[in-house]
Amino acid sequence: MQTTKFQKRLFGTNGVRGIVGKDLPPELVVTIGEAFGTMRKGCIAVGRDTRTSGDTLVKAIKSGLLATGCDVVDCGILPTPALQYIIKGRFAGGVMITASHNPPEYNGVKIIEADGTEMGDEETLKLEQLIFDLSFSPKPWEHVGHEVNAPHLIRKYIKSIINHFPHKIGSGMTVVVDPGSGPACLTSPHILTGMGCRVLTLHGVPDGTFPGRLPEPSSQGLKGLAELVVSSGAAFGIAHDGDADRAVFVDENGQFIEENEEFTLVASYICHQEKGAVVTPVSTSLMVEKVVKNEGCTITYTPVGSIYVARTMRSLIENGNTVVFGGEGNGGLIFPRHQFCRDGGMTAAMMVYILASTGEHLSSLVRRIPKRTIIKDKVTTSRGAEVLESLKKEYSYDLLDLTDGVKILREDSWALVRVSGTEPIIRIIVDADSYDYSKEFHEEVMAFIHKITDK
Ligand code: MG
C-alpha cells in the first residue's frame, strides 16, 4: 500500500504555521474558518494551546466558522490529542490553534476531521483552493452559527486514559511531569494522579511566554526535570511539547531517553503482548524494526508525518489487518486502541503501565534495546529535486525505498535523503549499527550531494 504526498501551498505537514504579527495575520485565520465552515456543516469544536496569541486566533477561527453557519463549541486550552478525542464521533470536525514545538512567537492552525484524525492531503488541497479563491458560503443573519464554551470536556479525555489501564496501577510510583507551561498542565498530572501515582510537576502553570523552557522538549532543556527526578527518587520524568501530542522521558537516573529508543521500548512491550503490524515513517531507526520482528510482529513504513502514519494504520485495519501500535521516532506515539493520533498523555500513562507491570527500572528496559548510531544533517539548496534524481541513478545498485525521498538500504544500515516541503533544504539521516560505519556512510552520501549542489 502506497501513501502519496501531495504538494500543498499553505498547509505543511502539521497545518499552517507562522510568526504572529508577521506571517500569520488573524485575517488569514478568519478565511481558514470560512473555508472550513463552507466545507463542513454542523458543529465544530475548537481549542488552543497556551500561547499568548491563542485568544486572538481562536476568535478569528470562530468568526469564520460562525459566519458560514457552523455552530462552535470552544473547549478552551487543551492538548491537541484531547481535542481530537473529544471530536471523535461527537462533532463535524475541529480546529486546534497551536504551533506545537515552535518557539513562543509562532502559532498555527490544525484542522481535525470528524473521526478525530488530522485532515488528509486531498481534503486539505480542496480547503486551500477555497481559501485562495475566497470561495465561501456566508450565511444571512438568521442562519449564522451559535457558540458555547465547554472547558469541562477535557475531563472526558483524562478519564478515558485513566480507564484504559487497571485501577490505580501506578500506586507507590513517583513521577515528575514537565508540561513546559503548555496545555498538558491541565491533563498529564491529573491522568497520572488518577492512575495512583505520586506526581511532582515542573513548569506546571499554563503560560504562553514559556518562562521555564521552550516548547520543544530537547534534552538540553530538561536539566531541571532530570535533577528533580533524581532528587525525588522518581521512577521517571516526562516532558511534553507545546501541544502535548508528544512525550519524552528521562529515566530514574536523570538520563534522557532518545526518542527512537522510547518508541522501541514501547513497541517491544506492546508486541510482546499482542501480534500485528507496527506503522512508522521511513525516518524511524532500524532498532524498531528489529525489536518488532523479533516479537513476531510486522512493520509498515510510511512517508514522514504523523498524518500518514495514522491514516495508514486506519486503512490497514479497514482491510482486515491487526495494527497494534504506531508513531514516530520523535516521541509522538499512536495507540490504536485509544485513538488514531499522537497522544502525549496516553504515552505518559503507558510508561507507568509498562514499569508497573514489568517491575523493572526504566534504565534496565532501555539497556536491552539494540544500540544504533543515528546522524542527522541538512544542506541548504534549492536543487533538492535534482539531488534526489541523481541519487536514484547513482545508487541504483543498492536497494532503494522511495516512500519519501530516497532511502538507501544496506545490510543493517540506511541513509535517507528528503527534500523539505516548506524550506529550500534537504535533510539527511543515517542509521547504522556502528559509529564507524555511520560516519563512513554519512560522508559518502554527503560527498555525493555536495558534488551536485556545489556544481
Ligand atoms: Mg506537537
Side-chain angles (χ1 to χ4, degrees), residues 400-425:
L400 298 181
D401 179 341
L402 304 178
T403 305
D404 192 348
V406 176
K407 187 175 181 180
I408 306 157
L409 301 158
R410 290 194 180 152
E411 199 180 341
D412 242 10
S413 302
W414 55 256
L416 173 67
V417 182
R418 293 172 54 241
V419 178
S420 164
T422 48
E423 302 163 272
I425 55 172

PDB file of all heavy atoms in Angstrom, residues 400-425:
ATOM      1  N   LEU A 400      16.674   0.438  -2.852  1.00  0.00           N
ATOM      2  CA  LEU A 400      16.145   1.775  -2.558  1.00  0.00           C
ATOM      3  C   LEU A 400      14.687   1.697  -2.099  1.00  0.00           C
ATOM      4  O   LEU A 400      13.911   0.917  -2.629  1.00  0.00           O
ATOM      5  CB  LEU A 400      16.225   2.672  -3.800  1.00  0.00           C
ATOM      6  CG  LEU A 400      17.609   2.975  -4.368  1.00  0.00           C
ATOM      7  CD1 LEU A 400      17.491   3.901  -5.566  1.00  0.00           C
ATOM      8  CD2 LEU A 400      18.510   3.605  -3.311  1.00  0.00           C
ATOM      9  N   ASP A 401      14.334   2.529  -1.121  1.00  0.00           N
ATOM     10  CA  ASP A 401      12.938   2.688  -0.713  1.00  0.00           C
ATOM     11  C   ASP A 401      12.574   4.134  -1.059  1.00  0.00           C
ATOM     12  O   ASP A 401      13.193   5.073  -0.556  1.00  0.00           O
ATOM     13  CB  ASP A 401      12.822   2.436   0.801  1.00  0.00           C
ATOM     14  CG  ASP A 401      11.409   2.613   1.322  1.00  0.00           C
ATOM     15  OD1 ASP A 401      10.595   3.267   0.626  1.00  0.00           O
ATOM     16  OD2 ASP A 401      11.106   2.118   2.423  1.00  0.00           O
ATOM     17  N   LEU A 402      11.559   4.305  -1.935  1.00  0.00           N
ATOM     18  CA  LEU A 402      11.210   5.646  -2.413  1.00  0.00           C
ATOM     19  C   LEU A 402       9.895   6.139  -1.807  1.00  0.00           C
ATOM     20  O   LEU A 402       9.209   6.988  -2.373  1.00  0.00           O
ATOM     21  CB  LEU A 402      11.133   5.646  -3.943  1.00  0.00           C
ATOM     22  CG  LEU A 402      12.396   5.151  -4.664  1.00  0.00           C
ATOM     23  CD1 LEU A 402      12.207   5.138  -6.169  1.00  0.00           C
ATOM     24  CD2 LEU A 402      13.615   6.006  -4.300  1.00  0.00           C
ATOM     25  N   THR A 403       9.553   5.627  -0.640  1.00  0.00           N
ATOM     26  CA  THR A 403       8.318   6.038   0.039  1.00  0.00           C
ATOM     27  C   THR A 403       8.295   7.545   0.285  1.00  0.00           C
ATOM     28  O   THR A 403       7.267   8.201   0.145  1.00  0.00           O
ATOM     29  CB  THR A 403       8.179   5.288   1.388  1.00  0.00           C
ATOM     30  OG1 THR A 403       8.266   3.897   1.127  1.00  0.00           O
ATOM     31  CG2 THR A 403       6.875   5.611   2.082  1.00  0.00           C
ATOM     32  N   ASP A 404       9.427   8.090   0.692  1.00  0.00           N
ATOM     33  CA  ASP A 404       9.538   9.531   0.943  1.00  0.00           C
ATOM     34  C   ASP A 404      10.995   9.910   0.719  1.00  0.00           C
ATOM     35  O   ASP A 404      11.862   9.520   1.492  1.00  0.00           O
ATOM     36  CB  ASP A 404       9.104   9.847   2.382  1.00  0.00           C
ATOM     37  CG  ASP A 404       8.915  11.336   2.608  1.00  0.00           C
ATOM     38  OD1 ASP A 404       9.324  12.131   1.750  1.00  0.00           O
ATOM     39  OD2 ASP A 404       8.339  11.700   3.646  1.00  0.00           O
ATOM     40  N   GLY A 405      11.289  10.630  -0.354  1.00  0.00           N
ATOM     41  CA  GLY A 405      12.683  10.917  -0.705  1.00  0.00           C
ATOM     42  C   GLY A 405      13.356   9.652  -1.213  1.00  0.00           C
ATOM     43  O   GLY A 405      12.710   8.796  -1.803  1.00  0.00           O
ATOM     44  N   VAL A 406      14.654   9.550  -0.952  1.00  0.00           N
ATOM     45  CA  VAL A 406      15.398   8.350  -1.362  1.00  0.00           C
ATOM     46  C   VAL A 406      16.035   7.743  -0.116  1.00  0.00           C
ATOM     47  O   VAL A 406      16.806   8.406   0.581  1.00  0.00           O
ATOM     48  CB  VAL A 406      16.494   8.708  -2.396  1.00  0.00           C
ATOM     49  CG1 VAL A 406      17.326   7.473  -2.734  1.00  0.00           C
ATOM     50  CG2 VAL A 406      15.860   9.287  -3.662  1.00  0.00           C
ATOM     51  N   LYS A 407      15.687   6.485   0.162  1.00  0.00           N
ATOM     52  CA  LYS A 407      16.279   5.779   1.299  1.00  0.00           C
ATOM     53  C   LYS A 407      17.147   4.656   0.740  1.00  0.00           C
ATOM     54  O   LYS A 407      16.648   3.780   0.031  1.00  0.00           O
ATOM     55  CB  LYS A 407      15.173   5.217   2.198  1.00  0.00           C
ATOM     56  CG  LYS A 407      15.669   4.612   3.510  1.00  0.00           C
ATOM     57  CD  LYS A 407      14.480   4.192   4.372  1.00  0.00           C
ATOM     58  CE  LYS A 407      14.916   3.605   5.699  1.00  0.00           C
ATOM     59  NZ  LYS A 407      13.776   3.208   6.533  1.00  0.00           N
ATOM     60  N   ILE A 408      18.432   4.735   1.040  1.00  0.00           N
ATOM     61  CA  ILE A 408      19.377   3.731   0.547  1.00  0.00           C
ATOM     62  C   ILE A 408      19.533   2.676   1.633  1.00  0.00           C
ATOM     63  O   ILE A 408      19.954   2.975   2.748  1.00  0.00           O
ATOM     64  CB  ILE A 408      20.750   4.378   0.240  1.00  0.00           C
ATOM     65  CG1 ILE A 408      20.558   5.561  -0.717  1.00  0.00           C
ATOM     66  CG2 ILE A 408      21.731   3.365  -0.308  1.00  0.00           C
ATOM     67  CD1 ILE A 408      21.685   6.578  -0.648  1.00  0.00           C
ATOM     68  N   LEU A 409      19.153   1.440   1.278  1.00  0.00           N
ATOM     69  CA  LEU A 409      19.165   0.372   2.282  1.00  0.00           C
ATOM     70  C   LEU A 409      20.380  -0.511   2.077  1.00  0.00           C
ATOM     71  O   LEU A 409      20.607  -1.016   0.974  1.00  0.00           O
ATOM     72  CB  LEU A 409      17.894  -0.480   2.154  1.00  0.00           C
ATOM     73  CG  LEU A 409      16.578   0.272   2.311  1.00  0.00           C
ATOM     74  CD1 LEU A 409      15.449  -0.489   1.645  1.00  0.00           C
ATOM     75  CD2 LEU A 409      16.258   0.495   3.777  1.00  0.00           C
ATOM     76  N   ARG A 410      21.170  -0.660   3.133  1.00  0.00           N
ATOM     77  CA  ARG A 410      22.287  -1.594   3.087  1.00  0.00           C
ATOM     78  C   ARG A 410      22.128  -2.521   4.278  1.00  0.00           C
ATOM     79  O   ARG A 410      21.352  -2.242   5.167  1.00  0.00           O
ATOM     80  CB  ARG A 410      23.606  -0.845   3.202  1.00  0.00           C
ATOM     81  CG  ARG A 410      23.859  -0.054   1.951  1.00  0.00           C
ATOM     82  CD  ARG A 410      25.267   0.429   1.862  1.00  0.00           C
ATOM     83  NE  ARG A 410      25.426   1.179   0.628  1.00  0.00           N
ATOM     84  CZ  ARG A 410      26.304   2.149   0.467  1.00  0.00           C
ATOM     85  NH1 ARG A 410      27.107   2.466   1.451  1.00  0.00           N
ATOM     86  NH2 ARG A 410      26.386   2.781  -0.678  1.00  0.00           N
ATOM     87  N   GLU A 411      22.900  -3.584   4.254  1.00  0.00           N
ATOM     88  CA  GLU A 411      22.745  -4.548   5.339  1.00  0.00           C
ATOM     89  C   GLU A 411      22.910  -3.841   6.691  1.00  0.00           C
ATOM     90  O   GLU A 411      23.963  -3.259   6.956  1.00  0.00           O
ATOM     91  CB  GLU A 411      23.791  -5.651   5.203  1.00  0.00           C
ATOM     92  CG  GLU A 411      23.401  -6.867   5.993  1.00  0.00           C
ATOM     93  CD  GLU A 411      24.434  -7.971   5.862  1.00  0.00           C
ATOM     94  OE1 GLU A 411      25.218  -7.911   4.906  1.00  0.00           O
ATOM     95  OE2 GLU A 411      24.446  -8.840   6.709  1.00  0.00           O
ATOM     96  N   ASP A 412      21.857  -3.850   7.486  1.00  0.00           N
ATOM     97  CA  ASP A 412      21.886  -3.310   8.843  1.00  0.00           C
ATOM     98  C   ASP A 412      22.086  -1.794   8.955  1.00  0.00           C
ATOM     99  O   ASP A 412      22.349  -1.292  10.036  1.00  0.00           O
ATOM    100  CB  ASP A 412      22.976  -4.024   9.665  1.00  0.00           C
ATOM    101  CG  ASP A 412      22.328  -4.750  10.835  1.00  0.00           C
ATOM    102  OD1 ASP A 412      21.092  -4.844  10.855  1.00  0.00           O
ATOM    103  OD2 ASP A 412      23.059  -5.193  11.739  1.00  0.00           O
ATOM    104  N   SER A 413      21.993  -1.069   7.829  1.00  0.00           N
ATOM    105  CA  SER A 413      22.142   0.385   7.873  1.00  0.00           C
ATOM    106  C   SER A 413      21.312   1.009   6.770  1.00  0.00           C
ATOM    107  O   SER A 413      20.988   0.349   5.788  1.00  0.00           O
ATOM    108  CB  SER A 413      23.602   0.789   7.637  1.00  0.00           C
ATOM    109  OG  SER A 413      24.427   0.191   8.596  1.00  0.00           O
ATOM    110  N   TRP A 414      20.980   2.277   6.936  1.00  0.00           N
ATOM    111  CA  TRP A 414      20.331   3.001   5.842  1.00  0.00           C
ATOM    112  C   TRP A 414      20.679   4.484   5.905  1.00  0.00           C
ATOM    113  O   TRP A 414      21.093   5.000   6.957  1.00  0.00           O
ATOM    114  CB  TRP A 414      18.813   2.795   5.821  1.00  0.00           C
ATOM    115  CG  TRP A 414      18.039   3.126   7.084  1.00  0.00           C
ATOM    116  CD1 TRP A 414      17.535   2.216   7.981  1.00  0.00           C
ATOM    117  CD2 TRP A 414      17.648   4.423   7.573  1.00  0.00           C
ATOM    118  NE1 TRP A 414      16.873   2.876   8.996  1.00  0.00           N
ATOM    119  CE2 TRP A 414      16.916   4.224   8.769  1.00  0.00           C
ATOM    120  CE3 TRP A 414      17.832   5.729   7.121  1.00  0.00           C
ATOM    121  CZ2 TRP A 414      16.387   5.285   9.521  1.00  0.00           C
ATOM    122  CZ3 TRP A 414      17.310   6.791   7.872  1.00  0.00           C
ATOM    123  CH2 TRP A 414      16.593   6.552   9.045  1.00  0.00           C
ATOM    124  N   ALA A 415      20.473   5.153   4.749  1.00  0.00           N
ATOM    125  CA  ALA A 415      20.608   6.615   4.687  1.00  0.00           C
ATOM    126  C   ALA A 415      19.378   7.136   3.966  1.00  0.00           C
ATOM    127  O   ALA A 415      18.971   6.583   2.941  1.00  0.00           O
ATOM    128  CB  ALA A 415      21.865   7.001   3.929  1.00  0.00           C
ATOM    129  N   LEU A 416      18.760   8.169   4.532  1.00  0.00           N
ATOM    130  CA  LEU A 416      17.542   8.744   3.946  1.00  0.00           C
ATOM    131  C   LEU A 416      17.817  10.198   3.567  1.00  0.00           C
ATOM    132  O   LEU A 416      18.329  10.969   4.381  1.00  0.00           O
ATOM    133  CB  LEU A 416      16.404   8.675   4.977  1.00  0.00           C
ATOM    134  CG  LEU A 416      15.092   9.365   4.608  1.00  0.00           C
ATOM    135  CD1 LEU A 416      14.404   8.664   3.442  1.00  0.00           C
ATOM    136  CD2 LEU A 416      14.143   9.391   5.817  1.00  0.00           C
ATOM    137  N   VAL A 417      17.465  10.560   2.332  1.00  0.00           N
ATOM    138  CA  VAL A 417      17.608  11.953   1.873  1.00  0.00           C
ATOM    139  C   VAL A 417      16.228  12.433   1.451  1.00  0.00           C
ATOM    140  O   VAL A 417      15.586  11.834   0.588  1.00  0.00           O
ATOM    141  CB  VAL A 417      18.596  12.057   0.686  1.00  0.00           C
ATOM    142  CG1 VAL A 417      18.761  13.516   0.273  1.00  0.00           C
ATOM    143  CG2 VAL A 417      19.935  11.435   1.053  1.00  0.00           C
ATOM    144  N   ARG A 418      15.744  13.505   2.096  1.00  0.00           N
ATOM    145  CA  ARG A 418      14.409  14.039   1.794  1.00  0.00           C
ATOM    146  C   ARG A 418      14.503  15.528   1.518  1.00  0.00           C
ATOM    147  O   ARG A 418      15.354  16.219   2.073  1.00  0.00           O
ATOM    148  CB  ARG A 418      13.469  13.836   2.979  1.00  0.00           C
ATOM    149  CG  ARG A 418      13.130  12.409   3.276  1.00  0.00           C
ATOM    150  CD  ARG A 418      12.354  12.305   4.566  1.00  0.00           C
ATOM    151  NE  ARG A 418      11.182  13.155   4.564  1.00  0.00           N
ATOM    152  CZ  ARG A 418      10.976  14.148   5.419  1.00  0.00           C
ATOM    153  NH1 ARG A 418      11.855  14.438   6.342  1.00  0.00           N
ATOM    154  NH2 ARG A 418       9.876  14.860   5.347  1.00  0.00           N
ATOM    155  N   VAL A 419      13.560  16.010   0.703  1.00  0.00           N
ATOM    156  CA  VAL A 419      13.509  17.440   0.416  1.00  0.00           C
ATOM    157  C   VAL A 419      12.403  18.039   1.275  1.00  0.00           C
ATOM    158  O   VAL A 419      11.291  17.516   1.318  1.00  0.00           O
ATOM    159  CB  VAL A 419      13.208  17.674  -1.084  1.00  0.00           C
ATOM    160  CG1 VAL A 419      13.112  19.162  -1.380  1.00  0.00           C
ATOM    161  CG2 VAL A 419      14.279  17.037  -1.946  1.00  0.00           C
ATOM    162  N   SER A 420      12.699  19.139   1.964  1.00  0.00           N
ATOM    163  CA  SER A 420      11.684  19.805   2.779  1.00  0.00           C
ATOM    164  C   SER A 420      10.591  20.389   1.878  1.00  0.00           C
ATOM    165  O   SER A 420      10.892  20.923   0.810  1.00  0.00           O
ATOM    166  CB  SER A 420      12.336  20.919   3.605  1.00  0.00           C
ATOM    167  OG  SER A 420      11.347  21.795   4.100  1.00  0.00           O
ATOM    168  N   GLY A 421       9.347  20.299   2.330  1.00  0.00           N
ATOM    169  CA  GLY A 421       8.244  20.852   1.551  1.00  0.00           C
ATOM    170  C   GLY A 421       8.080  22.348   1.765  1.00  0.00           C
ATOM    171  O   GLY A 421       7.407  23.030   0.995  1.00  0.00           O
ATOM    172  N   THR A 422       8.694  22.888   2.809  1.00  0.00           N
ATOM    173  CA  THR A 422       8.445  24.283   3.169  1.00  0.00           C
ATOM    174  C   THR A 422       9.686  25.173   3.071  1.00  0.00           C
ATOM    175  O   THR A 422       9.568  26.383   2.959  1.00  0.00           O
ATOM    176  CB  THR A 422       7.909  24.364   4.613  1.00  0.00           C
ATOM    177  OG1 THR A 422       8.757  23.562   5.447  1.00  0.00           O
ATOM    178  CG2 THR A 422       6.482  23.850   4.705  1.00  0.00           C
ATOM    179  N   GLU A 423      10.892  24.564   3.133  1.00  0.00           N
ATOM    180  CA  GLU A 423      12.120  25.379   3.090  1.00  0.00           C
ATOM    181  C   GLU A 423      13.057  24.829   2.022  1.00  0.00           C
ATOM    182  O   GLU A 423      12.958  23.660   1.655  1.00  0.00           O
ATOM    183  CB  GLU A 423      12.861  25.292   4.438  1.00  0.00           C
ATOM    184  CG  GLU A 423      12.068  25.717   5.639  1.00  0.00           C
ATOM    185  CD  GLU A 423      12.728  25.215   6.918  1.00  0.00           C
ATOM    186  OE1 GLU A 423      12.436  24.089   7.347  1.00  0.00           O
ATOM    187  OE2 GLU A 423      13.543  25.959   7.467  1.00  0.00           O
ATOM    188  N   PRO A 424      14.001  25.665   1.512  1.00  0.00           N
ATOM    189  CA  PRO A 424      14.941  25.163   0.494  1.00  0.00           C
ATOM    190  C   PRO A 424      16.067  24.336   1.120  1.00  0.00           C
ATOM    191  O   PRO A 424      17.232  24.701   1.057  1.00  0.00           O
ATOM    192  CB  PRO A 424      15.476  26.446  -0.144  1.00  0.00           C
ATOM    193  CG  PRO A 424      15.395  27.459   0.951  1.00  0.00           C
ATOM    194  CD  PRO A 424      14.228  27.083   1.817  1.00  0.00           C
ATOM    195  N   ILE A 425      15.709  23.242   1.757  1.00  0.00           N
ATOM    196  CA  ILE A 425      16.759  22.401   2.355  1.00  0.00           C
ATOM    197  C   ILE A 425      16.473  20.922   2.077  1.00  0.00           C
ATOM    198  O   ILE A 425      15.324  20.533   1.836  1.00  0.00           O
ATOM    199  CB  ILE A 425      16.901  22.598   3.892  1.00  0.00           C
ATOM    200  CG1 ILE A 425      15.579  22.379   4.616  1.00  0.00           C
ATOM    201  CG2 ILE A 425      17.469  23.917   4.249  1.00  0.00           C
ATOM    202  CD1 ILE A 425      15.749  22.367   6.134  1.00  0.00           C
TER     203      ILE A 425
END
